Amino acid sequence: MTQTQTILLVEDNPVDVLLMQRAFRNETFANTSLQIVRDGDAAVFYLNGDGEYSDRDRYPLPAIILLDLKLPRRSGHEVLLWLRQQPELKRLPVVMLTSSRQTPDVKRAYDLGVNSYLVKPVGFASLLEMMQSFREYWLNYTELPEPIEFRGL
């Protein structure tokens, strides 16, 4: 695969962001671009191409979204609900990547249309292993929908 694929990470914890950036610097992610937003509203603005995110060359639509659950301004559940209501975006794969193992959180995420629910591992080695498996499954084996080019909803 030579085409660069963009992954949108929606994460507010600076330590988790740093660990994910470190994981994505691994050679496994050679043709992957990681875009980061730090709250739920920013995720919606990014996906909608609003404001600073209107330049799709700089902020391309992602092939997949890694979405934290507990976010400022708009929770992961709220972002997911918004996303699934957007005709041009509703097919974007979303993987909830969170520290919550609470059954109501898991059930609600699946009810809202999440494609996968992963609990953040403890330790960088475990995170790297999880992300390599994520890459293998989601970007090498899964047939992802073609992104729809549009300029906001």
Short mmCIF file of all heavy atoms in Angstrom, two decimals, residues 28-52:
data_model
loop_
_atom_site.label_atom_id
_atom_site.label_comp_id
_atom_site.label_asym_id
_atom_site.label_seq_id
_atom_site.Cartn_x
_atom_site.Cartn_y
_atom_site.Cartn_z
N THR A 28 5.51 0.44 11.37
CA THR A 28 4.25 -0.20 10.99
C THR A 28 3.28 0.80 10.39
O THR A 28 2.45 0.46 9.56
CB THR A 28 3.60 -0.85 12.24
OG1 THR A 28 4.54 -1.74 12.83
CG2 THR A 28 2.34 -1.59 11.89
N PHE A 29 3.38 2.06 10.79
CA PHE A 29 2.47 3.09 10.35
C PHE A 29 3.10 4.02 9.32
O PHE A 29 2.77 5.20 9.24
CB PHE A 29 1.97 3.90 11.56
CG PHE A 29 1.10 3.09 12.47
CD1 PHE A 29 1.63 2.48 13.60
CD2 PHE A 29 -0.24 2.93 12.20
CE1 PHE A 29 0.82 1.73 14.43
CE2 PHE A 29 -1.05 2.19 13.02
CZ PHE A 29 -0.52 1.58 14.14
N ALA A 30 3.98 3.48 8.50
CA ALA A 30 4.74 4.29 7.54
C ALA A 30 3.85 5.12 6.61
O ALA A 30 4.17 6.24 6.29
CB ALA A 30 5.68 3.40 6.73
N ASN A 31 2.76 4.57 6.14
CA ASN A 31 1.88 5.29 5.20
C ASN A 31 0.61 5.77 5.87
O ASN A 31 -0.46 5.79 5.26
CB ASN A 31 1.54 4.38 4.01
CG ASN A 31 2.75 4.09 3.17
OD1 ASN A 31 3.54 4.98 2.91
ND2 ASN A 31 2.91 2.84 2.78
N THR A 32 0.74 6.16 7.13
CA THR A 32 -0.41 6.61 7.90
C THR A 32 -0.14 7.98 8.48
O THR A 32 0.90 8.23 9.07
CB THR A 32 -0.72 5.62 9.04
OG1 THR A 32 -0.86 4.32 8.49
CG2 THR A 32 -2.01 5.98 9.75
N SER A 33 -1.12 8.87 8.32
CA SER A 33 -1.05 10.20 8.89
C SER A 33 -1.99 10.26 10.09
O SER A 33 -3.14 9.86 9.99
CB SER A 33 -1.48 11.21 7.82
OG SER A 33 -1.75 12.46 8.40
N LEU A 34 -1.50 10.76 11.20
CA LEU A 34 -2.31 10.89 12.41
C LEU A 34 -2.67 12.35 12.61
O LEU A 34 -1.80 13.21 12.77
CB LEU A 34 -1.54 10.36 13.63
CG LEU A 34 -2.29 10.37 14.96
CD1 LEU A 34 -3.46 9.38 14.91
CD2 LEU A 34 -1.34 10.00 16.10
N GLN A 35 -3.97 12.65 12.57
CA GLN A 35 -4.48 13.98 12.88
C GLN A 35 -5.08 13.91 14.28
O GLN A 35 -5.70 12.91 14.63
CB GLN A 35 -5.56 14.40 11.88
CG GLN A 35 -5.06 14.62 10.48
CD GLN A 35 -4.34 15.96 10.34
OE1 GLN A 35 -4.41 16.83 11.19
NE2 GLN A 35 -3.61 16.10 9.25
N ILE A 36 -4.90 14.96 15.06
CA ILE A 36 -5.34 14.95 16.46
C ILE A 36 -6.20 16.16 16.75
O ILE A 36 -5.84 17.29 16.41
CB ILE A 36 -4.11 14.96 17.40
CG1 ILE A 36 -3.25 13.73 17.14
CG2 ILE A 36 -4.56 15.00 18.87
CD1 ILE A 36 -1.86 13.81 17.73
N VAL A 37 -7.34 15.91 17.38
CA VAL A 37 -8.16 16.97 17.96
C VAL A 37 -8.40 16.58 19.42
O VAL A 37 -8.42 15.40 19.76
CB VAL A 37 -9.48 17.21 17.20
CG1 VAL A 37 -9.21 17.73 15.79
CG2 VAL A 37 -10.33 15.96 17.14
N ARG A 38 -8.61 17.59 20.27
CA ARG A 38 -8.60 17.34 21.71
C ARG A 38 -9.94 17.48 22.41
O ARG A 38 -10.00 17.41 23.63
CB ARG A 38 -7.55 18.22 22.36
CG ARG A 38 -6.16 17.83 21.85
CD ARG A 38 -5.07 18.69 22.43
NE ARG A 38 -3.81 18.44 21.78
CZ ARG A 38 -2.87 17.62 22.23
NH1 ARG A 38 -3.05 16.96 23.35
NH2 ARG A 38 -1.75 17.46 21.57
N ASP A 39 -11.02 17.68 21.67
CA ASP A 39 -12.34 17.68 22.29
C ASP A 39 -13.40 17.32 21.25
O ASP A 39 -13.12 17.28 20.05
CB ASP A 39 -12.64 19.02 22.99
CG ASP A 39 -12.76 20.20 22.05
OD1 ASP A 39 -13.65 20.18 21.17
OD2 ASP A 39 -11.98 21.15 22.20
N GLY A 40 -14.61 17.05 21.75
CA GLY A 40 -15.68 16.61 20.86
C GLY A 40 -16.11 17.64 19.84
O GLY A 40 -16.40 17.30 18.69
N ASP A 41 -16.16 18.91 20.24
CA ASP A 41 -16.52 19.95 19.28
C ASP A 41 -15.49 20.05 18.17
O ASP A 41 -15.85 20.19 16.99
CB ASP A 41 -16.67 21.30 19.97
CG ASP A 41 -18.00 21.46 20.70
OD1 ASP A 41 -18.88 20.58 20.56
OD2 ASP A 41 -18.14 22.46 21.42
N ALA A 42 -14.21 19.98 18.52
CA ALA A 42 -13.15 20.04 17.51
C ALA A 42 -13.28 18.87 16.53
O ALA A 42 -13.02 19.02 15.34
CB ALA A 42 -11.78 20.07 18.16
N ALA A 43 -13.68 17.70 17.02
CA ALA A 43 -13.87 16.55 16.13
C ALA A 43 -14.97 16.83 15.11
O ALA A 43 -14.81 16.56 13.92
CB ALA A 43 -14.23 15.31 16.95
N VAL A 44 -16.07 17.42 15.57
CA VAL A 44 -17.17 17.76 14.67
C VAL A 44 -16.72 18.82 13.66
O VAL A 44 -17.00 18.71 12.46
CB VAL A 44 -18.41 18.22 15.46
CG1 VAL A 44 -19.46 18.83 14.54
CG2 VAL A 44 -18.99 17.05 16.25
N PHE A 45 -16.00 19.84 14.12
CA PHE A 45 -15.50 20.88 13.22
C PHE A 45 -14.56 20.27 12.18
O PHE A 45 -14.63 20.61 11.00
CB PHE A 45 -14.78 21.99 13.99
CG PHE A 45 -15.66 22.78 14.93
CD1 PHE A 45 -15.13 23.38 16.05
CD2 PHE A 45 -17.03 22.91 14.71
CE1 PHE A 45 -15.92 24.10 16.93
CE2 PHE A 45 -17.83 23.63 15.58
CZ PHE A 45 -17.28 24.23 16.69
N TYR A 46 -13.66 19.40 12.63
CA TYR A 46 -12.72 18.74 11.71
C TYR A 46 -13.49 17.95 10.65
O TYR A 46 -13.25 18.11 9.45
CB TYR A 46 -11.77 17.82 12.49
CG TYR A 46 -10.74 17.16 11.60
CD1 TYR A 46 -9.43 17.59 11.61
CD2 TYR A 46 -11.07 16.10 10.75
CE1 TYR A 46 -8.47 17.00 10.79
CE2 TYR A 46 -10.13 15.51 9.93
CZ TYR A 46 -8.84 15.96 9.95
OH TYR A 46 -7.89 15.38 9.13
N LEU A 47 -14.38 17.09 11.08
CA LEU A 47 -15.11 16.23 10.16
C LEU A 47 -16.01 17.02 9.21
O LEU A 47 -16.20 16.64 8.06
CB LEU A 47 -15.93 15.20 10.94
CG LEU A 47 -15.09 14.18 11.69
CD1 LEU A 47 -15.94 13.42 12.70
CD2 LEU A 47 -14.39 13.23 10.73
N ASN A 48 -16.52 18.13 9.69
CA ASN A 48 -17.41 18.97 8.89
C ASN A 48 -16.63 19.94 8.00
O ASN A 48 -17.21 20.59 7.14
CB ASN A 48 -18.34 19.74 9.83
CG ASN A 48 -19.63 20.14 9.17
OD1 ASN A 48 -20.12 19.45 8.28
ND2 ASN A 48 -20.19 21.24 9.59
N GLY A 49 -15.31 20.05 8.22
CA GLY A 49 -14.50 20.98 7.43
C GLY A 49 -14.76 22.43 7.78
O GLY A 49 -14.67 23.30 6.92
N ASP A 50 -15.06 22.69 9.05
CA ASP A 50 -15.37 24.05 9.49
C ASP A 50 -14.12 24.79 9.98
O ASP A 50 -13.20 24.18 10.54
CB ASP A 50 -16.38 24.03 10.65
CG ASP A 50 -17.76 23.62 10.22
OD1 ASP A 50 -18.09 23.78 9.03
OD2 ASP A 50 -18.52 23.13 11.08
N GLY A 51 -14.14 26.12 9.80
CA GLY A 51 -13.09 26.97 10.36
C GLY A 51 -11.70 26.58 9.92
O GLY A 51 -11.45 26.40 8.72
N GLU A 52 -10.82 26.42 10.87
CA GLU A 52 -9.43 26.10 10.58
C GLU A 52 -9.27 24.76 9.85
O GLU A 52 -8.23 24.50 9.25
CB GLU A 52 -8.59 26.09 11.86
CG GLU A 52 -8.93 24.96 12.82
CD GLU A 52 -8.09 24.96 14.08
OE1 GLU A 52 -6.87 24.70 13.99
OE2 GLU A 52 -8.66 25.25 15.14
#
